[in-house]
Amino acid sequence: MSRTGNVLPEQKKPKLIVVAAFNRDEDGDLIPAFDPRQMQSEDAAKRLAKMIESEHEGVIAWSREADPAIGEYGEPTILYQAGSVPDME
């Protein structure tokens, strides 16, 4: 039996889902308000970001496919953003 044309379905990669918040220091530079928080779902990340946005200069929730075991990371996707946040690297 030939396997030509048959493509195995790609396994879904795990996602890294993060919420980060920023405040300004005395020089006006954006600094992290706390260590980025890894979340269990995109919905939870959006809820947290919306809940804390009024307490910070800026907040962002983002996700990307990630396989830390092999050091492979996809492009980040912004789930929610409010206020001032630094450019994502």
Side-chain angles (χ1 to χ4, degrees):
M1 183 171 162
S2 171
R3 302 214 15 114
T4 307
N6 290 344
V7 178
L8 293 174
E10 188 177 327
Q11 266 194 327
K12 193 172 182 179
K13 293 182 180 165
K15 272 195 176 174
L16 178 63
I17 305 166
V18 175
V19 173
F22 302 89
N23 292 323
R24 292 202 184 271
D25 65 13
E26 57 276 352
D27 296 325
D29 297 323
L30 287 171
I31 57 170
F34 50 78
D35 287 336
R37 293 185 185 158
Q38 190 167 343
M39 305 298 291
Q40 294 299 312
S41 72
E42 292 181 350
D43 285 340
K46 288 187 261 189
R47 279 195 306 274
L48 177 60
K50 289 176 183 179
M51 197 168 66
I52 65 172
E53 75 175 278
S54 65
E55 302 166 21
H56 301 286
E57 184 72 25
V59 65
I60 187 167
W62 58 271
S63 70
R64 68 179 176 184
E65 289 182 348
D67 192 342
I70 60 173
E72 190 175 288
Y73 297 93
E75 287 297 311
T77 300
I78 295 173
L79 305 171
Y80 182 81
Q81 180 177 335
S84 299
V85 297
D87 290 333
M88 291 187 70
E89 297 173 10

